[in-house]
Amino acid sequence: MAEVKKTFPIKGMHCASCVGVIERALRKVDGVLSASVNIATEEGSVTYDSDIIDETKIASAVAQVGYQAILDQQDKDKDQEKIEKNKEILSLKMRAFFSLFLGVLIAWGSFPGVSNYAPLFLKNFWVQLIFATPVQFWAGLTFYRATIPALKHRTANMDTLVAIGTTVAYLYSVVVTVFPSFILSAGLEAMPYFDVSTIVIGLILLGRYFEAKAKGQTSEAIKKLIGLQAKTARVVRDGKEVDIPVEQVQIGEILRVRPGEKIPVDGQITEGESSIDESMVTGESMPVDKAKGDIVIGSTINKTGSFLFKASKVGQDTMLAQIVKLVQEAQGSKAPIQRLADTISAYFVPIVIMLALATFIVWFDFGPSPVLLKALLNMVAVLIIACPCAMGLATPTAIMVGTGKGAESGILIKNAESLETAHKINTIIFDKTGTLTKGKPEVTDLIPLNNHLKEQVLSLASSLEKGSEHSLAEAILGRAEKEKAELQNVKNFKAVPGHGIEGVIKNQSVSFGNRRLMKREKVDVSKAEEKVQELETEGKTVMFLSLNNKLIGLVAVADPIKDTAKEGVDALRAMGIEVVMVTGDNQRTADAIAKEIGIDRVLAEVLPQDKEAEVRKIQHEGKSVAMVGDGINDAPALAAANIGIAMGSGTDVAIESADFTLINKDLRTIAKSVKLSKRIMSTIKMNLFWAFGYNIILIPVAMGVLYPLFHILLNPIFASAAMALSSISVVTNSLRLKRVKI
Amino acid sequence: MDKILVTTIGVFGIIFTYWFFLMKKDKEISASGSINVVVEGGYSPSLISVKKGQKVTLNFLRKDQNQCLEEILLPDFKIKKYLPLNKVVSIEIEPKEAGEYGFVCGMNMFHGKVVAK
């Protein structure tokens, strides 16, 4: 027996009766030796025999009575992160208001003008010292805590600047208070500047408080996605339906979903039908009707019917988990535009310290009197106004919010670099099949020639297609099934890529494919030419069937165009983007389809392996190209394009070669994704411009460059207000992306 | 006299600042398999050399309360992780090619790098 004791947090407890319920549930489990639950700490403690049961059984027992045992380390970390964050935000708020309250009192007692109305005790320097000290060393402790270890590593940061700046103001004021005669002998007025040190600390803490709150919102989208995950699943085991935690669902298990419930994992419907709201995952607003054989996505909501489905993907493999992973990865990536900010940030703080020292020297040597005071205040202003944070926040916050926004609309962005390239796109190439069209071709015409029968044409064509993996095979076999055509045995089956298929049926050679195949097999098609042209101008793909090298029939197939194709293409053209269609179809068919959708440029009769070359050709014209495909057979073309856009099919979202993955099949999403990348980039540029501009303009002003001409100087208090505002404005500007309508 | 004194001390201060922050040389620590990185006022070690094509686990332990250091980013590997205080967070990377792979804090203020050779 292996006795194990485990203590773990339990979520969802709110009264003492919960304790009894959970304890009883745990004790009932075979293998549990003892169990106790503590309401105060919201923790459970279980001793069990690990030879008999494992943690999942314990989690399941707790889940069955309606609570959640957090046995998973990741969940615990997430919770700890949240607790730490909240604690930190609260502490920032408290310290900010404490500092500002005392700071304002000190300012009331010392600011020329207003101090006339202040109570006498506030004007006392010793009282001001007593007020300023806890602000400096309790509220401002965070600045020292960050500065001292950093100095040990010979690095400096934002906090270093604030710590030096406020300490200088504080120490000067202490000297004024304790040794006024020393200051008077230097020819200065004995006036402390405790208001500067306290209000600066208060305002910077206040800024950080708002910044921390706003920053929390930047990762809201991903939290929302994670929150979509269903908690329990109803699995059919031994003919009975049992509720279990979703983590315990195994691949291959049959699950029941009732109306209004969340589908727990990915899978395929085995019984029943329903209408499913997939908007939370795909961004597609209309519910989708699904029946037996259709794929369902975990975390989407079942609207009307009840159905059974077989779990095909669980845990980290589900579509939602993949989406979360993709978005997290994108948020961890770096945009090339950030490089300049990176380089600068490495030198920024030391340079500001050097500039502050230089400011002191110049004001002391050449400034108007009182030189020491002016030199000191201007030096402090320089230290306080410099804001490297805004530069550091400019790009990542915009990417966080933007990629989250994308995920909400079914647009998954691979990394920040793709965003940067995407906003410069001026040409988009669409792969026709499965992208512009539904990818489910249907047989529209069956035309027998040379005295053959319609049934014979269908029988021969479908017999051959049986062994084919071509997308048209499904259409022909579907028709054969419908018309109950006879399927015959095929010998020597051969697929000729880009041409068609061949084989021997009843000792006669049969070929079925396009015009190229007929040419290759030296089959004369001239007599059927008129009919072929007619079908092709209708946008149909015509296939030729030959028996012993004689043409015996035509099969016309059309792939219905997606409802959103025209609107999607129009939206792109309205943005000034050239739209190109590439297809294996012949020129006439391709032209007909392109005309219907509104595409001007068509690349027809392109073999699958040549799509990549076509992309490169257009790139050589100096165009920045995006290629849209299904990501399966056009992966090389997607990779060759400046931006590869994969349109989702089923649950295959993890498409490596694509820069953008669109989960839904709505073509309007493409224009949306280009628009989103433009918006994100303009936000980043605006942020960087603001962050750089702010420092470039205000640091010299704080140094006093405007003083000789305009007598303008920056009070350190205003400097701290500006500093606090600058980081907040960068974060809020990024948050605006959340409200962008795309 | 005061001016000369202030100027001399000030200029010395500027030179010292430059030397102190910008002329420091990171000590390169070579790692194979795994290495502990303490996060306190920066990363130590901040320069880690590894063999290219080999997997290496960086065990980050944050001891610093500074918010700036609470996130670690390895942009080349598209990794962004939260570092809870006083708790080891292991990140496995595999630098396939020779070169420098930086790691930075969430606000891009503290830097370290892995050099694959």
Side-chain angles (χ1 to χ4, degrees):
Chain A
M1 189 171 95
E3 203 177 295
V4 175
K5 189 175 172 164
K6 187 118 201 162
T7 304
F8 48 88
I10 298 177
K11 272 203 211 162
M13 286 201 285
H14 33 72
C15 63
S17 70
C18 307
V19 174
V21 173
I22 302 170
E23 281 182 352
R24 271 195 298 279
L26 283 169
R27 285 183 194 138
K28 261 195 244 164
V29 181
D30 265 348
V32 168
L33 306 169
S34 71
S36 65
V37 174
N38 184 335
I39 179 92
T41 55
E42 294 190 28
E43 274 181 342
S45 182
V46 175
T47 313
Y48 63 93
D49 183 351
S50 64
D51 288 343
I52 304 177
I53 54 163
D54 59 8
E55 281 185 8
T56 52
K57 285 266 166 40
I58 293 168
S60 147
V62 177
Q64 264 169 9
V65 287
Y67 305 91
Q68 197 190 350
I70 303 171
L71 286 154
D72 184 51
Q73 191 55 40
Q74 227 179 356
D75 278 357
K76 244 192 268 177
D77 284 351
K78 277 270 164 269
D79 275 5
Q80 197 187 348
E81 177 178 345
K82 212 170 146 190
I83 293 165
E84 274 186 31
K85 273 257 126 37
N86 287 341
K87 220 165 83 184
E88 183 190 299
I89 289 179
L90 195 73
S91 142
L92 272 173
K93 187 177 166 185
M94 207 165 68
R95 285 180 292 139
F97 285 110
F98 174 81
S99 317
L100 285 175
F101 177 69
L102 292 178
V104 168
L105 287 183
I106 297 172
W108 191 15
S110 57
F111 223 68
V114 283
S115 64
N116 298 340
Y117 307 101
L120 207 61
F121 80 100
L122 283 182
K123 294 185 199 172
N124 185 312
F125 296 165
W126 285 94
V127 171
Q128 293 185 359
L129 171 65
I130 292 166
F131 281 4
T133 307
V135 173
Q136 190 69 32
F137 299 108
W138 174 71
L141 184 64
T142 160
F143 303 116
Y144 294 112
R145 270 210 183 129
T147 303
I148 294 161
L151 286 179
K152 277 191 205 152
H153 281 85
R154 292 173 69 173
T155 51
N157 55 31
M158 178 68 221
D159 298 87
T160 318
L161 298 176
V162 180
I164 300 176
T166 57
T167 309
V168 167
Y170 176 80
L171 287 182
Y172 173 79
S173 310
V174 171
V175 174
V176 170
T177 310
V178 184
F179 310 105
S181 53
F182 175 73
I183 299 293
L184 289 169
S185 69
L188 290 172
E189 190 190 351
M191 189 71 199
Y193 278 86
F194 287 121
D195 53 340
V196 170
S197 68
T198 46
I199 294 181
V200 165
I201 288 177
L203 283 175
I204 291 174
L205 289 173
L206 188 70
R208 288 216 179 154
Y209 163 70
F210 284 123
E211 188 189 307
K213 276 190 79 164
K215 255 173 72 190
Q217 290 176 41
T218 59
S219 53
E220 225 170 44
I222 202 131
K223 284 187 199 135
K224 227 154 90 190
L225 278 174
I226 295 170
L228 284 178
Q229 173 75 55
K231 303 276 180 291
T232 58
R234 187 170 301 119
V235 54
V236 184
R237 282 181 183 164
D238 306 324
K240 265 194 258 164
E241 292 178 8
V242 257
D243 282 349
I244 57 165
V246 73
E247 297 81 18
Q248 293 174 20
V249 176
Q250 309 281 333
I251 292 176
E253 279 191 302
I254 302 289
L255 294 104
R256 157 80 65 195
V257 187
R258 296 198 187 123
E261 284 182 344
K262 229 176 226 183
I263 298 168
V265 296
D266 296 355
Q268 198 172 19
I269 298 184
T270 54
E271 197 188 306
E273 52 188 26
S274 182
S275 168
I276 295 168
D277 177 5
E278 297 187 336
S279 60
M280 59 294 293
V281 176
T282 64
E284 213 147 7
S285 53
M286 292 299 287
V288 196
D289 290 332
K290 300 213 167 172
K292 190 180 168 184
D294 284 338
I295 303 263
V296 287
I297 306 168
S299 310
T300 57
I301 292 172
N302 177 29
K303 304 276 276 191
T304 51
S306 169
F307 63 87
L308 288 173
F309 78 99
K310 192 172 171 186
S312 61
K313 279 177 183 165
V314 298
Q316 290 308 304
D317 300 324
T318 61
M319 183 150 165
L320 184 74
Q322 302 273 3
I323 293 173
V324 169
K325 189 171 154 245
L326 227 71
V327 177
Q328 272 171 340
E329 281 187 355
Q331 297 186 340
S333 68
K334 192 176 260 184
I337 195 168
Q338 208 183 330
R339 249 176 241 144
L340 180 65
D342 280 0
T343 319
I344 291 178
S345 77
Y347 303 102
F348 188 83
V349 175
I351 287 174
V352 171
I353 297 176
M354 291 190 270
L355 286 176
L357 285 168
T359 307
F360 188 88
I361 300 171
V362 173
W363 277 90
F364 192 86
D365 288 354
F366 309 107
S369 61
V371 283
L372 178 63
L373 197 64
K374 284 220 155 69
L376 213 58
L377 284 178
N378 290 329
M379 180 177 83
V380 172
V382 172
L383 291 169
I384 298 298
I385 200 140
C387 185
C389 279
M391 285 192 286
L393 292 169
T395 326
T397 51
I399 289 172
M400 295 262 293
V401 182
T403 48
K405 172 87 186 172
E408 274 172 20
S409 322
I411 303 163
L412 301 180
I413 299 157
K414 193 177 179 189
N415 54 34
E417 201 175 339
S418 336
L419 269 178
E420 238 185 284
T421 323
H423 91 288
K424 292 182 206 141
I425 287 301
N426 51 25
T427 306
I428 289 191
I429 308 175
F430 281 94
D431 179 35
K432 191 208 83 180
T433 310
T435 309
L436 288 169
T437 61
K438 288 185 177 158
K440 278 203 176 140
E442 291 156 13
V443 174
T444 54
D445 305 80
L446 274 171
I447 300 155
L449 301 166
N450 299 332
N451 303 324
H452 284 81
L453 294 170
K454 207 170 162 182
E455 289 73 27
Q456 197 182 2
V457 172
L458 184 60
S459 168
L460 286 173
S462 54
S463 301
L464 264 188
E465 286 289 10
K466 209 168 39 176
S468 158
E469 285 167 357
H470 196 268
S471 59
L472 297 180
E474 209 179 315
I476 291 159
L477 288 170
R479 180 69 174 252
E481 197 183 10
K482 209 164 119 194
E483 300 201 359
K484 298 191 175 62
E486 184 199 352
L487 293 183
Q488 305 174 61
N489 279 334
V490 182
K491 282 183 194 153
N492 304 340
F493 176 82
K494 199 169 86 188
V496 190
H499 292 74
I501 44 182
E502 294 173 335
V504 177
I505 298 175
K506 288 183 182 157
N507 295 325
Q508 303 190 83
S509 73
V510 186
S511 303
F512 184 53
N514 57 20
R515 201 186 292 268
R516 273 197 297 269
L517 184 71
M518 295 299 117
K519 203 171 164 190
R520 190 179 130 128
E521 298 300 319
K522 302 191 176 60
V523 178
D524 179 22
V525 296
S526 56
K527 280 184 188 152
E529 203 57 63
E530 203 179 318
K531 187 71 196 163
V532 172
Q533 283 192 16
E534 187 190 314
L535 291 166
E536 282 178 351
T537 29
E538 290 166 16
K540 293 169 184 166
T541 303
V542 181
M543 287 184 291
F544 302 81
L545 181 72
S546 75
L547 187 68
N548 293 329
N549 292 25
K550 290 234 163 56
L551 190 66
I552 65 160
L554 302 172
V555 178
V557 171
D559 186 1
I561 293 168
K562 278 188 196 167
D563 303 334
T564 51
K566 186 155 172 45
E567 247 180 281
V569 168
D570 284 349
L572 287 169
R573 284 167 39 135
M575 291 165 82
I577 294 171
E578 187 188 3
V579 182
V580 182
M581 181 177 94
V582 59
T583 171
D585 292 350
N586 67 55
Q587 193 73 44
R588 240 190 319 265
T589 312
D591 283 341
I593 294 168
K595 200 175 154 203
E596 202 178 324
I597 306 174
I599 294 176
D600 303 323
R601 190 166 170 190
V602 178
L603 305 169
E605 289 166 60
V606 178
L607 296 174
Q609 62 269 31
D610 295 337
K611 281 182 198 163
E612 185 190 342
E614 292 296 333
V615 169
R616 294 199 193 281
K617 252 191 239 166
I618 296 181
Q619 280 172 328
H620 282 143
E621 292 170 18
K623 303 268 175 61
S624 188
V625 177
M627 168 86 201
V628 189
D630 57 14
I632 298 162
N633 53 29
D634 41 21
L638 289 187
N642 302 69
I643 287 292
I645 302 176
M647 293 211 80
S649 49
T651 53
D652 296 318
V653 284
I655 303 169
E656 271 303 302
S657 48
D659 297 290
F660 281 50
T661 301
L662 309 181
I663 313 172
N664 60 42
K665 290 171 183 157
D666 187 333
L667 281 156
R668 289 169 297 189
T669 319
I670 294 173
K672 282 186 187 174
S673 58
V674 177
K675 208 162 149 192
L676 179 68
S677 58
K678 279 187 200 281
R679 288 304 294 259
I680 299 176
M681 285 317 292
S682 73
T683 305
I684 292 177
K685 283 180 188 163
M686 213 193 285
N687 283 349
L688 284 173
F689 180 77
W690 168 253
F692 278 110
Y694 166 86
N695 283 299
I696 290 169
I697 294 169
L698 288 187
I699 292 177
V701 173
M703 290 172 79
V705 290
L706 295 181
Y707 187 81
L709 284 176
F710 306 104
H711 284 260
I712 291 176
L713 277 179
L714 210 56
N715 183 304
I717 292 177
F718 292 123
S720 67
M723 215 265 334
L725 275 175
S726 88
S727 346
I728 298 171
S729 57
V730 163
V731 181
T732 359
N733 191 35
S734 298
L735 283 175
R736 283 198 315 138
L737 279 170
K738 273 214 273 200
R739 284 185 294 276
V740 164
K741 219 177 157 294
I742 53 166
Chain B
M1 185 57 201
D2 285 354
K3 285 184 182 174
I4 295 168
L5 195 68
V6 164
T7 312
T8 317
I9 296 173
V11 169
F12 176 75
I14 293 173
I15 294 168
F16 175 79
T17 309
Y18 185 84
W19 170 82
F20 188 77
F21 292 115
L22 300 177
M23 286 186 47
K24 76 167 169 162
K25 285 208 168 56
D26 288 318
K27 219 162 91 192
E28 194 172 313
I29 305 282
S30 66
S32 61
S34 82
I35 185 162
N36 298 332
V37 183
V38 176
V39 184
E40 193 176 21
Y43 304 100
S44 54
S46 57
L47 185 58
I48 300 164
S49 70
V50 296
K51 269 196 190 142
K52 68 173 176 187
Q54 229 170 49
K55 277 188 184 158
V56 59
T57 308
L58 309 173
N59 302 312
F60 289 96
L61 174 63
R62 175 162 79 102
K63 290 182 174 172
D64 196 327
Q65 291 191 350
N66 185 7
Q67 305 174 42
C68 193
L69 287 158
E70 69 189 14
E71 262 178 357
I72 181 88
L73 267 96
L74 290 98
D76 297 307
F77 302 97
K78 293 204 282 187
I79 294 170
K80 186 171 92 173
K81 280 226 163 129
Y82 176 77
L83 302 178
L85 204 58
N86 297 319
K87 206 160 191 183
V88 175
V89 172
S90 299
I91 296 174
E92 191 186 69
I93 53 167
E94 188 183 351
K96 291 212 169 93
E97 280 160 35
E100 289 185 355
Y101 301 86
F103 51 90
V104 295
C105 74
M107 284 191 195
N108 204 2
M109 299 285 302
F110 294 98
H111 306 90
K113 62 187 166 197
V114 173
V115 182
K117 290 176 184 168

